[in-house]
Amino acid sequence: MINASIRNAIFSDEYAVHQLCVRNNLVLDEYQETWDHLWSRNKYYTKDWEIGWVIEDSKKVVGFIGNIPRAYTFRDKIWIAGIARAFVVDEQYRKYSLQLIIRFIKQNNSDILIFSSANSEAGKVYELMNAEKIPQKEYQKDLFWIISPFNFLVSFFLKRNISTLYSYLLSLLFAPFLSLLSIYRSSLISLHEKKQKIDNILIENLPDEFDIFCNKFRELNSDKFLAMRSTRDIQWQFSKSFAVERRPRIFIIWEDREIKGYAIVTRQDSKKFKLKRLMINDLIVINGRLDLIHSLINKILFYSKNQKVSVVQIVGLPSFIRDKIDSLKPFARRIPYHRFWYYSNNKKLSHDLQLEESWYVSTYDGDSSL
């Protein structure tokens, strides 16, 4: 007999939630010390902040949604966002999913709620709760460059449940054609780049000038809803053990001894499908300059060849950045559902965020790269 109830999550629930995620094939971090990093070491966490909610039946955790505090800036004000994390419910308790989301939405300490890693089923629940789809165009359209046609095709066929043997044989057959297509697309590129200095460094080695750049970018883009970027914020985001395993790097571009932009990359490989993937999690340049964007991405593509990855991928970024990336002739793939949703009880904020030009979202936002 089901006798479930919903309560506030506590730190001692971490292992039970980890087991819940494993039961439901939700791949997250190893549980040890993860919650300590997400909340206790999070500078926006306060003692009155709820870390999440659980569905419990006979003292067994059968459902969970986490609530991570993150700061955003918009129109010269700091806004605190509650970021949904690991929304998961055991199948026989799915009827309680709406009640769990209601508890999340009714929290009092956040200005806006963000759901950045939604799948098709979660999206249906968010829509029922009147959450809004992000108006940033093409967020469901991934851009990517194929670095190793053969390895990319192996992953492509494995993902379609073709046996390993046949995946390799088909890849041998089609790889030359994909290589020719990639060469042809590259020949259409008209590069706009200068010989700027670009540093490729570890996240922990950010230079002193980095915060100066972030403050300047924020001032120039006060009309954008921007996730807080600073040395401390970025190092927190990419310093926990699971993030470190993704080998984060930051490419910083300089001009006249000033930082003019950067891009953060991480590895997001799939052992199951033998895919070696480099994800561009964030890309920021002053005034959206085409030459800076081209220089950064070309540097990343060259780096990816040395790292022997199969593909380089980008999710998100606003249209005025993507339009310039498109001139580098990436391939594109459309996801058939909305991945990024938001909800706010602040009517003015909610109204302003309906405008596409108010957003600058990448996988740096929400919990996508946590």
Side-chain angles (χ1 to χ4, degrees):
M1 179 179 176
I2 293 178
N3 185 27
S5 59
I6 297 176
R7 62 167 173 82
N8 296 342
I10 54 178
F11 281 92
S12 59
D13 289 323
E14 183 174 6
Y15 182 61
V17 170
H18 174 74
Q19 291 178 310
L20 169 69
C21 292
V22 171
R23 289 199 302 272
N24 288 274
N25 300 311
L26 180 61
V27 179
L28 286 176
D29 313 359
E30 291 297 326
Y31 71 92
Q32 293 178 332
E33 298 184 357
T34 296
W35 284 22
D36 178 61
H37 180 89
L38 292 177
W39 286 285
S40 298
R41 301 180 195 175
N42 182 337
K43 69 177 182 179
Y44 305 109
Y45 172 72
T46 58
K47 291 184 178 180
D48 60 345
W49 183 273
E50 297 295 346
I51 65 173
W53 294 265
V54 298
I55 304 172
E56 192 175 56
D57 187 5
S58 302
K59 296 186 178 181
K60 180 181 179 181
V61 172
V62 296
F64 173 73
I65 187 168
N67 181 34
I68 302 171
R70 292 195 64 175
Y72 280 74
T73 58
F74 183 55
R75 297 187 175 170
D76 302 316
K77 181 178 177 180
I78 294 178
W79 305 83
I80 298 298
I83 308 297
R85 171 106 171 154
F87 175 35
V88 57
V89 180
D90 279 335
E91 186 174 1
Q92 61 268 42
Y93 296 90
R94 299 274 164 85
K95 66 180 181 180
Y96 293 92
S97 297
L98 275 177
Q99 295 179 45
L100 190 61
I101 289 293
I102 288 171
R103 291 291 292 271
F104 180 81
I105 284 179
K106 285 188 174 181
Q107 62 177 286
N108 298 317
N109 294 324
S110 60
D111 301 299
I112 185 171
L113 307 175
I114 288 177
F115 312 89
S116 61
S117 304
N119 57 27
S120 57
E121 294 303 313
K124 293 174 185 177
V125 177
Y126 302 150
E127 192 165 26
L128 282 173
M129 300 310 300
N130 296 316
E132 300 278 350
K133 302 167 187 172
I134 183 176
Q136 187 172 294
K137 287 182 180 178
E138 308 292 3
Y139 196 80
Q140 292 85 251
K141 186 177 179 182
D142 296 352
L143 303 178
F144 62 96
W145 292 267
I146 297 171
I147 307 302
S148 172
F150 175 78
N151 292 332
F152 174 81
L153 285 169
V154 169
S155 304
F156 176 85
F157 291 124
L158 286 174
K159 197 169 184 178
R160 282 149 184 81
N161 296 318
I162 297 174
S163 70
T164 301
L165 175 61
Y166 280 107
S167 292
Y168 276 91
L169 290 175
L170 288 169
S171 299
L172 284 171
L173 178 63
F174 288 105
F177 298 99
L178 186 55
S179 296
L180 287 173
L181 178 59
S182 296
I183 292 170
Y184 171 71
R185 292 172 69 90
S186 297
S187 71
L188 300 176
I189 295 174
S190 177
L191 283 179
H192 297 271
E193 60 176 335
K194 300 176 183 178
K195 289 187 177 180
Q196 293 105 336
K197 176 188 174 185
I198 300 179
D199 291 331
N200 170 8
I201 61 175
L202 297 171
I203 298 293
E204 58 262 35
N205 295 333
L206 287 171
D208 295 337
E209 296 90 340
F210 189 76
D211 283 331
I212 296 173
F213 167 78
C214 289
N215 291 336
K216 181 178 180 179
F217 183 82
R218 195 159 46 244
E219 290 171 4
L220 292 172
N221 294 274
S222 62
D223 60 334
K224 299 279 189 293
F225 189 69
L226 289 172
M228 187 67 77
R229 289 164 171 88
S230 69
T231 297
R232 184 176 175 185
D233 286 286
I234 288 175
Q235 288 180 342
W236 170 80
Q237 178 147 337
F238 294 100
S239 64
K240 68 187 177 71
S241 58
F242 191 65
V244 169
E245 289 175 8
R246 292 177 173 176
R247 291 175 264 176
R249 308 284 299 189
I250 184 165
F251 292 77
I252 298 177
I253 190 163
W254 300 77
E255 188 177 80
D256 299 327
R257 298 185 179 181
E258 291 184 0
I259 295 176
K260 295 297 181 180
Y262 73 85
I264 297 174
V265 301
T266 56
R267 288 291 292 269
Q268 294 193 18
D269 298 346
S270 171
K271 292 182 181 178
K272 181 178 180 181
F273 300 118
K274 303 182 186 300
L275 180 66
K276 295 181 179 180
R277 173 172 48 198
L278 190 73
M279 180 71 76
I280 300 177
N281 297 107
D282 198 20
L283 193 154
I284 297 284
V285 297
I286 289 294
N287 300 323
R289 280 174 48 185
L290 178 65
D291 61 318
L292 299 177
I293 293 170
H294 279 199
S295 294
L296 281 168
I297 290 183
N298 278 314
K299 187 76 171 181
I300 291 168
L301 294 178
F302 181 78
Y303 168 77
S304 68
K305 291 176 183 177
N306 290 334
Q307 295 297 306
K308 298 181 180 180
V309 302
S310 309
V311 64
V312 175
Q313 183 176 342
I314 295 178
V315 175
L317 297 174
S319 295
F320 73 94
I321 298 293
R322 288 177 67 102
D323 289 345
K324 292 161 186 172
I325 293 174
D326 280 339
S327 63
L328 293 173
K329 304 300 178 183
F331 292 90
R333 178 181 69 119
R334 185 169 292 278
I335 305 300
Y337 53 87
H338 291 276
R339 296 186 282 205
F340 198 110
W341 300 71
Y342 70 97
Y343 178 92
S344 179
N345 278 322
N346 185 306
K347 292 183 179 180
K348 180 66 167 62
L349 179 60
S350 183
H351 175 268
D352 291 342
L353 292 181
Q354 291 177 14
L355 301 173
E356 181 188 359
E357 55 265 29
S358 295
W359 292 87
Y360 195 115
V361 171
S362 66
T363 52
Y364 175 76
D365 290 74
D367 77 327
S368 301
S369 58
L370 279 174

